[in-house]
Amino acid sequence: MNTPPLPSGAEHTDGPPIRLGALVPLTRPGWVEAGRHLLAGLDLAVREVNDAGGIDGRPLELVVRDTAADPERAAAAVDELADLGVAAVVGEYHSVVARAAAARADALGVPFLCSSAVLDALTEEPTEWVARVAPAQSHGWRIYADFLLRAGRRRIAVATQSSVYWTSGTRVLRDHLAPRGGTVLELDASLTPEALCDALVDHGATALLLLVGHPEPAVPIVRAVRSDRRLAEILIGAPAGQPEFAEWAAALGEDGAGIPFLRYLPERLGPLGERVGKELRERLGEAPSFVAFEGWDTVAVLAAVLRSHGTDRAAVAASWPRVAVEGTRGPIRFSRAPGIGVWQWAWAPVHVVDRDPAEPDRLRVLHAG
């Protein structure tokens, strides 16, 4: 699906538009709800820039392309957007898709500011063309591992699917837990939910982490574990953040509560975050996820870069180390984090939260990074 450019408040500006390419999963098998939140944040920020006069009188124009969680489709979209003359590419939620987009942007010399994908190895080699506002997987998942240890959960099972993202996450958990007395058992998510429950009992697991897609197979796994009396004391976790979205609560109801996940928001938003959060809620018709805030912050960074360095692609990429922008979740600056090949905001706030079993619409902070 080629989504037309959004009319983002351009009536308040003059001059030719400055185009930004946006990569967003808007159709299955992409996580559509995450894509909707990401696009809401991107679009709101573009409209606010344009309502304030644009970039030196020129409007920003968001040119959206649906990745549908397909790496090849994302790479082709970067080619198309480059030919359309975009100043930069933003967005994407799925790590394997963002990695393909980053590789193509690097090859073409197009700045790519990744909004929401966390895979450490976003590029094979260090690059000057790519920056990221989401925290790296190794950072967030170590915090999650610390939460498990503090909760007394050391025999960890992971239900996992074949993916570089899930493989990377499992490695982070194992490397962090093993020196601290923890173990990680990998279980193939293609097992029937009943067979998976038997394996959890056989191995005496104290926690099961869902390193799988949503709704399948995550939802049937949760239902099976919740209904198995032998596993009444096991902790179910979802570090990748599946329970953040309303779709999770709608599918699982009470069974979806009490499942800790990573959330990249502060415990309390400041005035800017509160204002943006209110606008996002009105747009979405529900509480905005951290992904929506990531989208807003992405455009805020690029708007500042375009104002100070112009629209030349090389100048945009060269500006990453000089960024200093107030985002919805704190001051954003980029640096070279160890082991990360892109310019990285180190770090956005990281919390482990869950949906309160007594009030599933309420999120509880369980552990701070």
Side-chain angles (χ1 to χ4, degrees), residues 220-251:
I221 290 174
V222 171
R223 286 177 176 152
V225 173
R226 291 295 200 211
S227 64
D228 193 320
R229 293 182 179 179
R230 300 172 300 169
L231 299 172
E233 299 302 318
I234 201 167
L235 172 76
I236 306 175
Q242 296 94 323
E244 167 79 8
F245 296 96
E247 182 182 347
W248 174 272

PDB file of all heavy atoms in Angstrom, residues 220-251:
ATOM      1  N   PRO A 220      -2.802 -17.681  22.700  1.00  0.00           N
ATOM      2  CA  PRO A 220      -3.106 -19.043  23.174  1.00  0.00           C
ATOM      3  C   PRO A 220      -2.116 -19.562  24.210  1.00  0.00           C
ATOM      4  O   PRO A 220      -2.496 -20.344  25.092  1.00  0.00           O
ATOM      5  CB  PRO A 220      -3.077 -19.890  21.893  1.00  0.00           C
ATOM      6  CG  PRO A 220      -2.452 -19.046  20.846  1.00  0.00           C
ATOM      7  CD  PRO A 220      -2.667 -17.638  21.228  1.00  0.00           C
ATOM      8  N   ILE A 221      -0.862 -19.140  24.147  1.00  0.00           N
ATOM      9  CA  ILE A 221       0.099 -19.566  25.164  1.00  0.00           C
ATOM     10  C   ILE A 221      -0.305 -19.012  26.525  1.00  0.00           C
ATOM     11  O   ILE A 221      -0.313 -19.732  27.531  1.00  0.00           O
ATOM     12  CB  ILE A 221       1.530 -19.119  24.790  1.00  0.00           C
ATOM     13  CG1 ILE A 221       2.044 -19.915  23.590  1.00  0.00           C
ATOM     14  CG2 ILE A 221       2.474 -19.292  25.982  1.00  0.00           C
ATOM     15  CD1 ILE A 221       3.394 -19.441  23.070  1.00  0.00           C
ATOM     16  N   VAL A 222      -0.630 -17.724  26.580  1.00  0.00           N
ATOM     17  CA  VAL A 222      -1.031 -17.122  27.855  1.00  0.00           C
ATOM     18  C   VAL A 222      -2.266 -17.824  28.409  1.00  0.00           C
ATOM     19  O   VAL A 222      -2.331 -18.164  29.606  1.00  0.00           O
ATOM     20  CB  VAL A 222      -1.292 -15.614  27.690  1.00  0.00           C
ATOM     21  CG1 VAL A 222      -1.919 -15.034  28.960  1.00  0.00           C
ATOM     22  CG2 VAL A 222      -0.008 -14.884  27.360  1.00  0.00           C
ATOM     23  N   ARG A 223      -3.246 -18.066  27.568  1.00  0.00           N
ATOM     24  CA  ARG A 223      -4.470 -18.723  28.041  1.00  0.00           C
ATOM     25  C   ARG A 223      -4.182 -20.106  28.605  1.00  0.00           C
ATOM     26  O   ARG A 223      -4.734 -20.497  29.645  1.00  0.00           O
ATOM     27  CB  ARG A 223      -5.479 -18.811  26.892  1.00  0.00           C
ATOM     28  CG  ARG A 223      -6.125 -17.472  26.551  1.00  0.00           C
ATOM     29  CD  ARG A 223      -7.060 -17.613  25.376  1.00  0.00           C
ATOM     30  NE  ARG A 223      -7.769 -16.361  25.091  1.00  0.00           N
ATOM     31  CZ  ARG A 223      -8.208 -16.015  23.902  1.00  0.00           C
ATOM     32  NH1 ARG A 223      -8.023 -16.827  22.872  1.00  0.00           N
ATOM     33  NH2 ARG A 223      -8.837 -14.876  23.729  1.00  0.00           N
ATOM     34  N   ALA A 224      -3.301 -20.856  27.920  1.00  0.00           N
ATOM     35  CA  ALA A 224      -2.988 -22.208  28.379  1.00  0.00           C
ATOM     36  C   ALA A 224      -2.266 -22.183  29.719  1.00  0.00           C
ATOM     37  O   ALA A 224      -2.578 -22.974  30.625  1.00  0.00           O
ATOM     38  CB  ALA A 224      -2.139 -22.920  27.327  1.00  0.00           C
ATOM     39  N   VAL A 225      -1.297 -21.294  29.866  1.00  0.00           N
ATOM     40  CA  VAL A 225      -0.544 -21.232  31.118  1.00  0.00           C
ATOM     41  C   VAL A 225      -1.440 -20.762  32.259  1.00  0.00           C
ATOM     42  O   VAL A 225      -1.394 -21.314  33.373  1.00  0.00           O
ATOM     43  CB  VAL A 225       0.681 -20.300  30.962  1.00  0.00           C
ATOM     44  CG1 VAL A 225       1.382 -20.095  32.306  1.00  0.00           C
ATOM     45  CG2 VAL A 225       1.657 -20.868  29.945  1.00  0.00           C
ATOM     46  N   ARG A 226      -2.270 -19.774  32.013  1.00  0.00           N
ATOM     47  CA  ARG A 226      -3.159 -19.262  33.056  1.00  0.00           C
ATOM     48  C   ARG A 226      -4.151 -20.327  33.528  1.00  0.00           C
ATOM     49  O   ARG A 226      -4.586 -20.317  34.695  1.00  0.00           O
ATOM     50  CB  ARG A 226      -3.937 -18.055  32.545  1.00  0.00           C
ATOM     51  CG  ARG A 226      -3.119 -16.806  32.308  1.00  0.00           C
ATOM     52  CD  ARG A 226      -2.538 -16.239  33.574  1.00  0.00           C
ATOM     53  NE  ARG A 226      -2.172 -14.835  33.439  1.00  0.00           N
ATOM     54  CZ  ARG A 226      -1.175 -14.254  34.081  1.00  0.00           C
ATOM     55  NH1 ARG A 226      -0.436 -14.970  34.932  1.00  0.00           N
ATOM     56  NH2 ARG A 226      -0.907 -12.970  33.916  1.00  0.00           N
ATOM     57  N   SER A 227      -4.528 -21.235  32.646  1.00  0.00           N
ATOM     58  CA  SER A 227      -5.538 -22.241  33.007  1.00  0.00           C
ATOM     59  C   SER A 227      -4.930 -23.524  33.571  1.00  0.00           C
ATOM     60  O   SER A 227      -5.663 -24.429  33.984  1.00  0.00           O
ATOM     61  CB  SER A 227      -6.398 -22.583  31.791  1.00  0.00           C
ATOM     62  OG  SER A 227      -5.616 -23.182  30.774  1.00  0.00           O
ATOM     63  N   ASP A 228      -3.595 -23.598  33.613  1.00  0.00           N
ATOM     64  CA  ASP A 228      -2.908 -24.806  34.094  1.00  0.00           C
ATOM     65  C   ASP A 228      -2.586 -24.629  35.576  1.00  0.00           C
ATOM     66  O   ASP A 228      -1.723 -23.835  35.950  1.00  0.00           O
ATOM     67  CB  ASP A 228      -1.626 -25.029  33.289  1.00  0.00           C
ATOM     68  CG  ASP A 228      -1.042 -26.419  33.513  1.00  0.00           C
ATOM     69  OD1 ASP A 228      -1.054 -26.890  34.673  1.00  0.00           O
ATOM     70  OD2 ASP A 228      -0.555 -27.021  32.536  1.00  0.00           O
ATOM     71  N   ARG A 229      -3.261 -25.391  36.432  1.00  0.00           N
ATOM     72  CA  ARG A 229      -3.081 -25.235  37.884  1.00  0.00           C
ATOM     73  C   ARG A 229      -1.645 -25.526  38.310  1.00  0.00           C
ATOM     74  O   ARG A 229      -1.185 -25.006  39.335  1.00  0.00           O
ATOM     75  CB  ARG A 229      -4.051 -26.150  38.625  1.00  0.00           C
ATOM     76  CG  ARG A 229      -5.513 -25.759  38.443  1.00  0.00           C
ATOM     77  CD  ARG A 229      -6.421 -26.680  39.236  1.00  0.00           C
ATOM     78  NE  ARG A 229      -7.829 -26.315  39.088  1.00  0.00           N
ATOM     79  CZ  ARG A 229      -8.834 -26.987  39.666  1.00  0.00           C
ATOM     80  NH1 ARG A 229      -8.566 -28.050  40.424  1.00  0.00           N
ATOM     81  NH2 ARG A 229     -10.084 -26.595  39.471  1.00  0.00           N
ATOM     82  N   ARG A 230      -0.943 -26.357  37.567  1.00  0.00           N
ATOM     83  CA  ARG A 230       0.440 -26.672  37.926  1.00  0.00           C
ATOM     84  C   ARG A 230       1.346 -25.450  37.815  1.00  0.00           C
ATOM     85  O   ARG A 230       2.430 -25.414  38.396  1.00  0.00           O
ATOM     86  CB  ARG A 230       0.976 -27.772  37.005  1.00  0.00           C
ATOM     87  CG  ARG A 230       0.203 -29.082  37.054  1.00  0.00           C
ATOM     88  CD  ARG A 230       0.697 -30.023  35.971  1.00  0.00           C
ATOM     89  NE  ARG A 230       0.522 -29.451  34.631  1.00  0.00           N
ATOM     90  CZ  ARG A 230       1.064 -29.982  33.514  1.00  0.00           C
ATOM     91  NH1 ARG A 230       1.825 -31.068  33.600  1.00  0.00           N
ATOM     92  NH2 ARG A 230       0.840 -29.418  32.343  1.00  0.00           N
ATOM     93  N   LEU A 231       0.911 -24.451  37.061  1.00  0.00           N
ATOM     94  CA  LEU A 231       1.740 -23.273  36.783  1.00  0.00           C
ATOM     95  C   LEU A 231       1.184 -22.017  37.441  1.00  0.00           C
ATOM     96  O   LEU A 231       1.456 -20.899  36.999  1.00  0.00           O
ATOM     97  CB  LEU A 231       1.842 -23.074  35.260  1.00  0.00           C
ATOM     98  CG  LEU A 231       2.476 -24.238  34.493  1.00  0.00           C
ATOM     99  CD1 LEU A 231       2.339 -24.028  32.988  1.00  0.00           C
ATOM    100  CD2 LEU A 231       3.944 -24.399  34.871  1.00  0.00           C
ATOM    101  N   ALA A 232       0.445 -22.205  38.531  1.00  0.00           N
ATOM    102  CA  ALA A 232      -0.201 -21.061  39.183  1.00  0.00           C
ATOM    103  C   ALA A 232       0.799 -20.028  39.683  1.00  0.00           C
ATOM    104  O   ALA A 232       0.485 -18.835  39.765  1.00  0.00           O
ATOM    105  CB  ALA A 232      -1.074 -21.551  40.343  1.00  0.00           C
ATOM    106  N   GLU A 233       2.024 -20.456  40.004  1.00  0.00           N
ATOM    107  CA  GLU A 233       3.017 -19.541  40.585  1.00  0.00           C
ATOM    108  C   GLU A 233       4.014 -18.996  39.558  1.00  0.00           C
ATOM    109  O   GLU A 233       4.885 -18.202  39.906  1.00  0.00           O
ATOM    110  CB  GLU A 233       3.791 -20.254  41.699  1.00  0.00           C
ATOM    111  CG  GLU A 233       2.917 -20.734  42.850  1.00  0.00           C
ATOM    112  CD  GLU A 233       2.143 -19.598  43.500  1.00  0.00           C
ATOM    113  OE1 GLU A 233       2.737 -18.514  43.698  1.00  0.00           O
ATOM    114  OE2 GLU A 233       0.941 -19.775  43.783  1.00  0.00           O
ATOM    115  N   ILE A 234       3.905 -19.427  38.320  1.00  0.00           N
ATOM    116  CA  ILE A 234       4.881 -18.989  37.317  1.00  0.00           C
ATOM    117  C   ILE A 234       4.602 -17.536  36.912  1.00  0.00           C
ATOM    118  O   ILE A 234       3.450 -17.102  36.854  1.00  0.00           O
ATOM    119  CB  ILE A 234       4.871 -19.910  36.081  1.00  0.00           C
ATOM    120  CG1 ILE A 234       6.182 -19.778  35.297  1.00  0.00           C
ATOM    121  CG2 ILE A 234       3.672 -19.622  35.178  1.00  0.00           C
ATOM    122  CD1 ILE A 234       6.376 -20.865  34.244  1.00  0.00           C
ATOM    123  N   LEU A 235       5.670 -16.786  36.672  1.00  0.00           N
ATOM    124  CA  LEU A 235       5.554 -15.425  36.142  1.00  0.00           C
ATOM    125  C   LEU A 235       5.578 -15.485  34.619  1.00  0.00           C
ATOM    126  O   LEU A 235       6.499 -16.077  34.034  1.00  0.00           O
ATOM    127  CB  LEU A 235       6.720 -14.568  36.633  1.00  0.00           C
ATOM    128  CG  LEU A 235       6.830 -13.177  36.005  1.00  0.00           C
ATOM    129  CD1 LEU A 235       5.783 -12.249  36.594  1.00  0.00           C
ATOM    130  CD2 LEU A 235       8.225 -12.588  36.202  1.00  0.00           C
ATOM    131  N   ILE A 236       4.592 -14.896  33.976  1.00  0.00           N
ATOM    132  CA  ILE A 236       4.622 -14.736  32.525  1.00  0.00           C
ATOM    133  C   ILE A 236       5.118 -13.324  32.234  1.00  0.00           C
ATOM    134  O   ILE A 236       4.651 -12.351  32.835  1.00  0.00           O
ATOM    135  CB  ILE A 236       3.237 -14.932  31.887  1.00  0.00           C
ATOM    136  CG1 ILE A 236       2.627 -16.267  32.289  1.00  0.00           C
ATOM    137  CG2 ILE A 236       3.329 -14.833  30.365  1.00  0.00           C
ATOM    138  CD1 ILE A 236       1.200 -16.468  31.785  1.00  0.00           C
ATOM    139  N   GLY A 237       6.090 -13.214  31.339  1.00  0.00           N
ATOM    140  CA  GLY A 237       6.643 -11.906  30.984  1.00  0.00           C
ATOM    141  C   GLY A 237       6.685 -11.717  29.480  1.00  0.00           C
ATOM    142  O   GLY A 237       6.681 -12.683  28.712  1.00  0.00           O
ATOM    143  N   ALA A 238       6.726 -10.459  29.062  1.00  0.00           N
ATOM    144  CA  ALA A 238       6.761 -10.120  27.639  1.00  0.00           C
ATOM    145  C   ALA A 238       7.649  -8.893  27.457  1.00  0.00           C
ATOM    146  O   ALA A 238       7.149  -7.780  27.277  1.00  0.00           O
ATOM    147  CB  ALA A 238       5.357  -9.864  27.111  1.00  0.00           C
ATOM    148  N   PRO A 239       8.964  -9.087  27.500  1.00  0.00           N
ATOM    149  CA  PRO A 239       9.864  -7.922  27.457  1.00  0.00           C
ATOM    150  C   PRO A 239       9.700  -7.052  26.220  1.00  0.00           C
ATOM    151  O   PRO A 239       9.963  -5.848  26.272  1.00  0.00           O
ATOM    152  CB  PRO A 239      11.260  -8.549  27.537  1.00  0.00           C
ATOM    153  CG  PRO A 239      11.085  -9.993  27.199  1.00  0.00           C
ATOM    154  CD  PRO A 239       9.713 -10.351  27.640  1.00  0.00           C
ATOM    155  N   ALA A 240       9.248  -7.621  25.108  1.00  0.00           N
ATOM    156  CA  ALA A 240       9.137  -6.836  23.872  1.00  0.00           C
ATOM    157  C   ALA A 240       7.981  -5.846  23.899  1.00  0.00           C
ATOM    158  O   ALA A 240       7.868  -5.007  23.003  1.00  0.00           O
ATOM    159  CB  ALA A 240       9.000  -7.761  22.666  1.00  0.00           C
ATOM    160  N   GLY A 241       7.095  -5.927  24.891  1.00  0.00           N
ATOM    161  CA  GLY A 241       6.090  -4.881  25.057  1.00  0.00           C
ATOM    162  C   GLY A 241       4.713  -5.176  24.511  1.00  0.00           C
ATOM    163  O   GLY A 241       3.892  -4.262  24.391  1.00  0.00           O
ATOM    164  N   GLN A 242       4.411  -6.447  24.216  1.00  0.00           N
ATOM    165  CA  GLN A 242       3.094  -6.750  23.650  1.00  0.00           C
ATOM    166  C   GLN A 242       1.924  -6.240  24.509  1.00  0.00           C
ATOM    167  O   GLN A 242       0.940  -5.729  23.962  1.00  0.00           O
ATOM    168  CB  GLN A 242       2.945  -8.269  23.427  1.00  0.00           C
ATOM    169  CG  GLN A 242       3.912  -8.864  22.415  1.00  0.00           C
ATOM    170  CD  GLN A 242       5.158  -9.428  23.074  1.00  0.00           C
ATOM    171  OE1 GLN A 242       5.655  -8.867  24.046  1.00  0.00           O
ATOM    172  NE2 GLN A 242       5.675 -10.543  22.547  1.00  0.00           N
ATOM    173  N   PRO A 243       1.993  -6.328  25.857  1.00  0.00           N
ATOM    174  CA  PRO A 243       0.838  -5.889  26.657  1.00  0.00           C
ATOM    175  C   PRO A 243       0.646  -4.370  26.715  1.00  0.00           C
ATOM    176  O   PRO A 243      -0.309  -3.903  27.322  1.00  0.00           O
ATOM    177  CB  PRO A 243       1.158  -6.444  28.065  1.00  0.00           C
ATOM    178  CG  PRO A 243       2.141  -7.543  27.841  1.00  0.00           C
ATOM    179  CD  PRO A 243       2.966  -7.081  26.681  1.00  0.00           C
ATOM    180  N   GLU A 244       1.532  -3.601  26.099  1.00  0.00           N
ATOM    181  CA  GLU A 244       1.396  -2.142  26.084  1.00  0.00           C
ATOM    182  C   GLU A 244       0.105  -1.708  25.390  1.00  0.00           C
ATOM    183  O   GLU A 244      -0.504  -0.701  25.759  1.00  0.00           O
ATOM    184  CB  GLU A 244       2.596  -1.530  25.354  1.00  0.00           C
ATOM    185  CG  GLU A 244       2.462  -0.065  24.992  1.00  0.00           C
ATOM    186  CD  GLU A 244       2.710   0.893  26.155  1.00  0.00           C
ATOM    187  OE1 GLU A 244       3.140   0.428  27.215  1.00  0.00           O
ATOM    188  OE2 GLU A 244       2.473   2.096  25.992  1.00  0.00           O
ATOM    189  N   PHE A 245      -0.333  -2.468  24.405  1.00  0.00           N
ATOM    190  CA  PHE A 245      -1.394  -2.012  23.518  1.00  0.00           C
ATOM    191  C   PHE A 245      -2.763  -2.533  23.946  1.00  0.00           C
ATOM    192  O   PHE A 245      -2.897  -3.627  24.491  1.00  0.00           O
ATOM    193  CB  PHE A 245      -1.087  -2.442  22.083  1.00  0.00           C
ATOM    194  CG  PHE A 245       0.159  -1.803  21.542  1.00  0.00           C
ATOM    195  CD1 PHE A 245       1.368  -2.472  21.585  1.00  0.00           C
ATOM    196  CD2 PHE A 245       0.132  -0.514  21.027  1.00  0.00           C
ATOM    197  CE1 PHE A 245       2.530  -1.872  21.109  1.00  0.00           C
ATOM    198  CE2 PHE A 245       1.281   0.084  20.556  1.00  0.00           C
ATOM    199  CZ  PHE A 245       2.485  -0.594  20.590  1.00  0.00           C
ATOM    200  N   ALA A 246      -3.792  -1.733  23.643  1.00  0.00           N
ATOM    201  CA  ALA A 246      -5.157  -2.074  24.030  1.00  0.00           C
ATOM    202  C   ALA A 246      -5.593  -3.397  23.416  1.00  0.00           C
ATOM    203  O   ALA A 246      -6.420  -4.113  23.994  1.00  0.00           O
ATOM    204  CB  ALA A 246      -6.107  -0.958  23.611  1.00  0.00           C
ATOM    205  N   GLU A 247      -5.053  -3.730  22.247  1.00  0.00           N
ATOM    206  CA  GLU A 247      -5.408  -4.985  21.577  1.00  0.00           C
ATOM    207  C   GLU A 247      -5.110  -6.192  22.461  1.00  0.00           C
ATOM    208  O   GLU A 247      -5.829  -7.186  22.446  1.00  0.00           O
ATOM    209  CB  GLU A 247      -4.619  -5.069  20.267  1.00  0.00           C
ATOM    210  CG  GLU A 247      -4.895  -6.293  19.422  1.00  0.00           C
ATOM    211  CD  GLU A 247      -4.032  -6.320  18.172  1.00  0.00           C
ATOM    212  OE1 GLU A 247      -3.404  -5.295  17.845  1.00  0.00           O
ATOM    213  OE2 GLU A 247      -3.983  -7.385  17.529  1.00  0.00           O
ATOM    214  N   TRP A 248      -4.035  -6.102  23.247  1.00  0.00           N
ATOM    215  CA  TRP A 248      -3.655  -7.185  24.155  1.00  0.00           C
ATOM    216  C   TRP A 248      -4.742  -7.369  25.221  1.00  0.00           C
ATOM    217  O   TRP A 248      -5.216  -8.488  25.457  1.00  0.00           O
ATOM    218  CB  TRP A 248      -2.322  -6.856  24.802  1.00  0.00           C
ATOM    219  CG  TRP A 248      -1.851  -7.804  25.858  1.00  0.00           C
ATOM    220  CD1 TRP A 248      -2.145  -7.748  27.192  1.00  0.00           C
ATOM    221  CD2 TRP A 248      -1.013  -8.952  25.690  1.00  0.00           C
ATOM    222  NE1 TRP A 248      -1.536  -8.778  27.864  1.00  0.00           N
ATOM    223  CE2 TRP A 248      -0.827  -9.523  26.964  1.00  0.00           C
ATOM    224  CE3 TRP A 248      -0.384  -9.517  24.590  1.00  0.00           C
ATOM    225  CZ2 TRP A 248      -0.040 -10.664  27.168  1.00  0.00           C
ATOM    226  CZ3 TRP A 248       0.406 -10.648  24.786  1.00  0.00           C
ATOM    227  CH2 TRP A 248       0.564 -11.213  26.054  1.00  0.00           C
ATOM    228  N   ALA A 249      -5.127  -6.286  25.855  1.00  0.00           N
ATOM    229  CA  ALA A 249      -6.146  -6.362  26.900  1.00  0.00           C
ATOM    230  C   ALA A 249      -7.478  -6.830  26.332  1.00  0.00           C
ATOM    231  O   ALA A 249      -8.206  -7.596  26.974  1.00  0.00           O
ATOM    232  CB  ALA A 249      -6.306  -5.006  27.575  1.00  0.00           C
ATOM    233  N   ALA A 250      -7.805  -6.401  25.111  1.00  0.00           N
ATOM    234  CA  ALA A 250      -9.065  -6.815  24.502  1.00  0.00           C
ATOM    235  C   ALA A 250      -9.079  -8.312  24.214  1.00  0.00           C
ATOM    236  O   ALA A 250     -10.110  -8.976  24.354  1.00  0.00           O
ATOM    237  CB  ALA A 250      -9.297  -6.027  23.212  1.00  0.00           C
ATOM    238  N   ALA A 251      -7.922  -8.855  23.819  1.00  0.00           N
ATOM    239  CA  ALA A 251      -7.853 -10.273  23.467  1.00  0.00           C
ATOM    240  C   ALA A 251      -7.833 -11.176  24.690  1.00  0.00           C
ATOM    241  O   ALA A 251      -8.377 -12.286  24.659  1.00  0.00           O
ATOM    242  CB  ALA A 251      -6.609 -10.533  22.616  1.00  0.00           C
TER     243      ALA A 251
END
